[in-house]
Amino acid sequence: MRIERARGTRDFLPKEMRKRRIMEERMRDIAERWGYEEIRTPTFERAELFTQKSGQAILKEMYEFRDKGDRHLALRPELTAPVIRMYINELKMTPKPTKVYYFGNCFRYEEPQKARYREFWQFGTEIIGSDRPEAQAELIALAFHILKSLGVKAELHVGHVGLIRERLRVLHADEEQINTVMRLMDKGEREAVIESMDERKRDEIGYLLDGLSDLIDSKDKDAFKEARDRNIIASDSNALQELELLLELLEYYGVDYTLNLGIARGLDYYTGMVFEIYEAGGKLGAQNQICGGGSYRLAKLFGGDDIPSTGFAFGVDRLEEIFSVDDKDLERRGVVVVPIRDKDADREVMKAAIEIASRLREFVPTHIDLMNRSLSAQLKYANAHHDSFAVLVGKNELKEAKVTLRNLNTGEQEKISVDDLCDEIKGLF
Ligand code: HAM
């Protein structure tokens, strides 16, 4: 019976894996040079790690199950909560800020479509110990540096969930009311927001909402001044000061931005600046968000101190779709060592062939016959495999302490000592 892949998952063939490795190496290399260290957390966690902040509703978006010991577990839908859990368990004593990065697969029970999968990969970074604009700017600049190295054109949108919350607090709204207002605002339900407030605050919230929606619609920094003049945001607003400094630092880093106070990130843990990066070339269709992140406080919720943090994650699969690499770089040309079998000297020839292959394998992809094939069948395999050179090892060659090196593209060949062979091949790969 033919068994199909599970819905929303993919197989990656050798060429695609090579492309992913090239991307991964570039990302890793840059993250390391910016002073981040790699970590890894388990693929599954206790389900409560994800429900604690987001509530039980998140369960329907996750792969969650009970194991044989009746423990409630979940395949990770993202890596920020696991990283903070790990930090509290293992890294609390490291000097702050702790700067880490990760590559990992994530699982979400979503409707699969182009660039949206049930198993996908994230490359992310977290700065644990700071949610200051300096940390935010560094992360955004790092994300852009990585995108540049991958040749991806992208657009940055920056917002701040604190700005609106802060203003609502001035209206003496409690946290629950604020959450309701934020949710309704996200859906654009102005009247419902007004009704959700106490009667005597309704005029005020109406004025505020109109001002806030002007602010949300505006795409540049000058809107802040106007909003301040109209008392839509307080002039001593912490969120505003933070955002203004961030935008200035982004200019120092040379990163262009669009102000977008309407960004409502899907995850509930953000407390301050939030940002999203979209692919600008139109190659991804509706799923064009390639990166998301922001500042948050999760450590206290998981039993640690109240540590501010900032992070982001790229959708690696989406990046892979837009990242283009020269086809030549994806081909893996190598060498095939061809033992010419001979009844009288079979062992001798095999021994020599294995020794030669071992030396070549120090620096070049090398095959050796594994199917006891004839000379012509071995060469046919080498051609089909696009190998560049065959090294023929036979009884006669061995007598002269030489092998035959054949260029499979031109058909030219020469007899050559094993030391010269190694030098020549090394120079070519
Ligand atoms: P997120 O926006 O949910 O944020 O995911 C980050 C990125 O993962 C998205 O921008 C998108 O490119 C990719 N992604 C999400 N879902 C899918 C899917 N079903 N198929 C393919 N790609 C997908 C987070 O996960 C946060 N943990 C980011 C963060 C880190 N915030 C602070 N630190």
Side-chain angles (χ1 to χ4, degrees), residues 78 80 102 108 110 115-117 120 122 126 265 267 269-270 289-294 296 311-315 318:
E78 57 107 37
T80 305
Y102 47 79
R108 294 184 190 177
E110 330 205 52
R116 185 196 274 178
Y117 309 101
F120 61 97
Q122 283 190 349
E126 312 290 342
R265 307 266 308 120
L267 298 152
Y269 45 67
Y270 296 102
Q289 193 197 304
I290 48 180
C291 182
Y296 58 90
F312 72 73
F314 278 117
R318 294 183 184 173

Side-chain angles (χ1 to χ4, degrees), residues 172-184:
H172 304 292
D174 60 31
E175 285 306 303
E176 204 173 306
Q177 264 175 330
I178 293 177
N179 287 341
T180 312
V181 170
M182 297 294 283
R183 230 173 299 125
L184 292 170

Side-chain angles (χ1 to χ4, degrees), residues 79-109:
L79 281 124
T80 305
V83 168
I84 297 300
R85 178 203 51 68
M86 175 197 208
Y87 170 82
I88 294 162
N89 296 352
E90 317 281 348
L91 290 172
K92 238 179 3 205
M93 304 313 281
T94 53
K96 280 184 227 18
T98 305
K99 304 200 318 182
V100 296
Y101 76 93
Y102 47 79
F103 265 99
N105 50 350
C106 301
F107 305 84
R108 294 184 190 177
Y109 199 80

Side-chain angles (χ1 to χ4, degrees), residues 188-203:
E189 296 184 13
R190 183 181 183 281
E191 293 314 310
V193 173
I194 293 174
E195 274 162 37
S196 77
M197 298 296 283
D198 302 341
E199 216 168 336
R200 61 199 159 79
K201 292 184 195 155
R202 287 188 184 162
D203 284 348

Side-chain angles (χ1 to χ4, degrees), residues 322-388:
I322 33 183
F323 172 57
S324 68
V325 59
D326 206 327
D327 231 27
K328 273 211 309 292
D329 293 335
L330 296 179
E331 280 167 10
R332 189 101 188 273
R333 292 181 185 279
V335 175
V336 58
V337 176
V338 179
I340 306 169
R341 298 301 177 82
D342 185 304
K343 269 203 263 355
D344 304 332
D346 192 48
R347 292 293 158 87
E348 237 175 281
V349 166
M350 263 324 267
K351 179 169 181 279
I354 286 174
E355 281 166 6
I356 293 165
S358 302
R359 283 184 66 178
L360 292 172
R361 281 174 171 158
E362 299 283 323
F363 50 85
V364 66
T366 304
H367 298 285
I368 187 167
D369 178 44
L370 302 174
M371 294 175 72
N372 198 14
R373 277 173 164 155
S374 68
L375 171 63
S376 65
Q378 290 188 56
L379 290 175
K380 207 165 144 196
Y381 173 75
N383 276 319
H385 208 259
H386 303 298
D387 284 318
S388 307

Side-chain angles (χ1 to χ4, degrees), residues 4-12 63 106-121 317:
E4 301 294 338
R5 275 193 317 263
R7 193 163 141 77
T9 63
R10 283 149 307 146
D11 296 312
F12 300 103
Y63 280 85
C106 301
F107 305 84
R108 294 184 190 177
Y109 199 80
E110 330 205 52
E111 253 335 280
Q113 51 174 272
K114 182 179 154 70
R116 185 196 274 178
Y117 309 101
R118 288 186 171 173
E119 183 191 23
F120 61 97
W121 272 257
D317 310 85

